[in-house]
Structure formats: C-alpha cells, structure tokens
Amino acid sequence: MQLFYNPDISQDIPEFIFPTEESKHIVKVLRKKEGDLLHLTNGKGYLFEAEILRADLRKCAVKITKETYYKKNSPALHLVVAPTKMNDRYEWFLEKATEIGITEITPIICDNSERKVLKLDRMEKVLQSAMKQSLQYHLPKLNEPISAKTFITQNNPNTNKEQQFFIAHCEETEKIDLKERLTPGSNALILIGPEGDFSTPEIELALNLGYTPVSLGENRLRTETAAIFACATMKLIN
C-alpha cells in the first residue's frame, strides 16, 4: 500500500488537493487516474481512503470515501537523545526508531555535545518518510532542542508518577540493565547522551531528581545505536 501524508487532511474535509510535488508523483510516476483509490494519513491516527476526482499534474484532487482511526501504541516511549556529530547518524536513528515505534523525541544539548545546531525541518521529513514506509498512522512528536540540564529540571520524576524516568550513562557506577528496570505497560522516558557521554554534573542532577541509572549492555554503543537499542528493548518488553 502506498501511503501519503499531509497534516491538513481531515475527516471534515470533503475534498483535498495535493501540493504540486505530490500531485506530479501520483499522476506521472504512479500513473493514477480518475476513479483510482489512494490511502492517506494526517499522522494523528487516521487512515483515509480517497478517490481521485481530478488527476491533475499540479492539483490532484481527491474526495475522502472512508476513514479508520487507530489508537496510539501503548505504552508511550519518549527518547531524549543528544545530537550526534554527523547529521546522517541522527537521521538514521530517527528513521529506525519511527519504524520500530516511538512516541516522542527530544534532542538535548549536553556539556559534551559536539553538535548544537539541528535542521528540524529535515528531521521532520525523515520522520514522515519513515512513518509512511512502515505504514503507521501516528507521526512521532519532535520537540525543539533544549539543554540537558533544563530538560532534566523541567521533567522531574517526582511530578509524574505515571512514567518511568531513566538515564543511560557510561560512568562506572552501579546500574542495572534497562530490560530489568522497564515495567511492562508503563510509559518511559530515557536519556541518552552524546559521544562524550553526559558530564558528571548532568548525571548527578538527574540522579538527585530521581532518574534511574540503567545499563544498555556490556558493549560501548554509539549514541544512535544506544537509542535504537533502548527503543527495541521497550518494544520487546511490551
């Protein structure tokens, strides 16, 4: 199934017109014509079936003929991951995490971060493409970058008892495997630092506020690998 995405698609809109780029793809590349059916999502849980009214290269128009709502996967996973030095590695993480199933992503700028500027528009497109490719109907939420200390302070485990809070760091302290700490059915937030790891003050701040330190195995993992490992572990536990 070919899935199209547009946040403006709604069950209340009787007719929808695709932007020029997608119109050209539908008519010229896919060779769709009047009367053919397309599948669309707005990234908010809806799958729409639509019939092509006008197979126009610039303004392909469709009418919604059927809608189905899919609930979000439960429980929710919020990955809070420092940017990688190379943009393509972070985009790889975004793509694979979306395919596996993730709810929310927040890039955090840490004391040891080598990259502090991100192209959110490009990252958003990666998420959209991965959602469509994996035939999902909920687009993961991508938040603005924020400093690690600010995020940790604002997201206090003491004020949210319905979610588990973890920090995966590399310091030689007592930690238990993430898979042993995750509670099936519970929402989770996991902090993962940059290539140089979290700084000691960042780790101490998180631990003092109630974050649980966890290990992601004996091997030292790259930032993006650690994030995917955490995502897959959450999926398997549930």
Side-chain angles (χ1 to χ4, degrees), residues 4 21 33 37 45 52 62 82-83 89 93 112 118 127 189 223:
F4 293 90
E21 185 177 343
K33 56 186 183 301
L37 296 179
I52 297 179
V62 299
R89 285 165 49 192
F93 144 65
N112 295 328
L118 295 171
L127 295 178
L189 182 154
T223 296

Side-chain angles (χ1 to χ4, degrees), residues 71-136:
K71 292 182 179 179
K72 280 188 178 181
N73 289 332
S74 183
L77 173 60
H78 184 178
L79 279 182
V80 185
V81 186
T84 52
K85 184 177 180 180
M86 304 298 292
N87 272 328
D88 60 343
R89 285 165 49 192
Y90 204 83
E91 290 173 4
W92 178 85
F93 144 65
L94 294 173
E95 178 184 77
K96 302 310 174 188
T98 301
E99 291 178 13
I100 295 170
I102 190 171
T103 311
E104 188 172 356
I105 301 154
T106 301
I108 49 169
I109 310 303
C110 304
D111 291 339
N112 295 328
S113 289
E114 293 188 60
R115 178 175 293 279
K116 300 186 178 182
V117 177
L118 295 171
K119 298 178 180 179
L120 288 185
D121 288 346
R122 181 179 173 88
M123 292 166 62
E124 190 71 38
K125 289 180 180 178
V126 171
L127 295 178
Q128 294 170 11
S129 178
M131 177 192 66
K132 292 189 293 182
Q133 187 276 328
S134 56
L135 297 181
Q136 298 186 68

